[in-house]
């Protein structure tokens, strides 16, 4: 089992930056997909970005050009650099991990079995 612990959330003004971190321990997949999701109260948890052990990344359109996902070589530390933050980016952010069984990382919540507890990001206008 993979244990994930995220940190780095907080409250900022619009236009500012935050960096989220997620550290994995326990069983580390040799081939891995890791992802950042976010969720507003009453809404579905949505994927923001994915990265795999080869370094391939995907982003949802709303964060392209502003957010950068990265994974270290040991596959233990996942990051999300968030620049030019907007009030609509406010949410609880979750990191997730799953064995990479194919060439593309999944974007559906149900495809990930390992999650952290969530970290809150609040952006004020």
């Amino acid at each position: 089992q993979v244990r994930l612990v995220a940190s780095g959330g907080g409250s900022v003004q619009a236009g500012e930056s935050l960096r989220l971190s997620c550290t994995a321990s326990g069983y580390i997949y040799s081939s891995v997909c890791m992802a950042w999701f976010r969720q507003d109260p009453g809404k579905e948890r949505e994927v923001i970005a994915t990265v795999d052990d080869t370094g391939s990344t995907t982003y949802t359109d709303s964060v392209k050009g502003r957010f950068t996902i990265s994974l270290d070589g040991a596959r233990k530390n996942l990051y999300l650099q968030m620049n030019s933050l907007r009030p609509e980016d406010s949410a609880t952010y979750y990191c997730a991990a799953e064995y990479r069984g194919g060439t593309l990382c999944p974007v559906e919540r149900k495809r990930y079995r390992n999650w952290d507890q969530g970290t809150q990001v609040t952006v004020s206008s």
Side-chain angles (χ1 to χ4, degrees):
Q1 184 175 352
V2 180
R3 181 171 180 261
L4 301 173
V5 178
S7 61
S11 297
V12 297
Q13 296 290 318
E16 294 183 342
S17 299
L18 276 176
R19 189 190 195 208
L20 303 183
S21 300
C22 178
T23 299
S25 60
Y27 183 80
I28 305 298
Y29 297 113
S30 56
S31 296
V32 66
C33 280
M34 297 195 76
W36 288 100
F37 286 72
R38 67 185 179 190
Q39 186 172 20
D40 284 327
K43 295 187 177 180
E44 293 292 318
R45 191 172 299 185
E46 62 173 357
V47 68
I48 303 170
T50 70
V51 62
D52 69 20
D53 52 280
T54 72
S56 294
T57 59
T58 66
Y59 296 92
T60 193
D61 286 346
S62 62
V63 306
K64 283 181 181 177
R66 299 189 299 124
F67 291 11
T68 302
I69 189 172
S70 59
L71 178 64
D72 71 355
R75 305 180 305 281
K76 292 183 177 181
N77 294 292
L78 175 71
Y79 304 100
L80 185 68
Q81 178 66 42
M82 305 186 292
N83 298 328
S84 302
L85 282 161
R86 305 167 180 169
E88 54 264 38
D89 294 318
S90 298
T92 301
Y93 284 68
Y94 298 88
C95 65
E98 187 52 71
Y99 175 74
R100 180 172 63 84
T103 57
L104 296 176
C105 286
V107 296
E108 302 89 351
R109 173 183 181 177
K110 64 181 180 181
R111 298 283 301 277
Y112 290 86
R113 291 177 291 174
N114 305 285
W115 294 87
D116 81 300
Q117 78 286 354
T119 185
Q120 182 66 38
V121 172
T122 303
V123 185
S124 302
S125 59

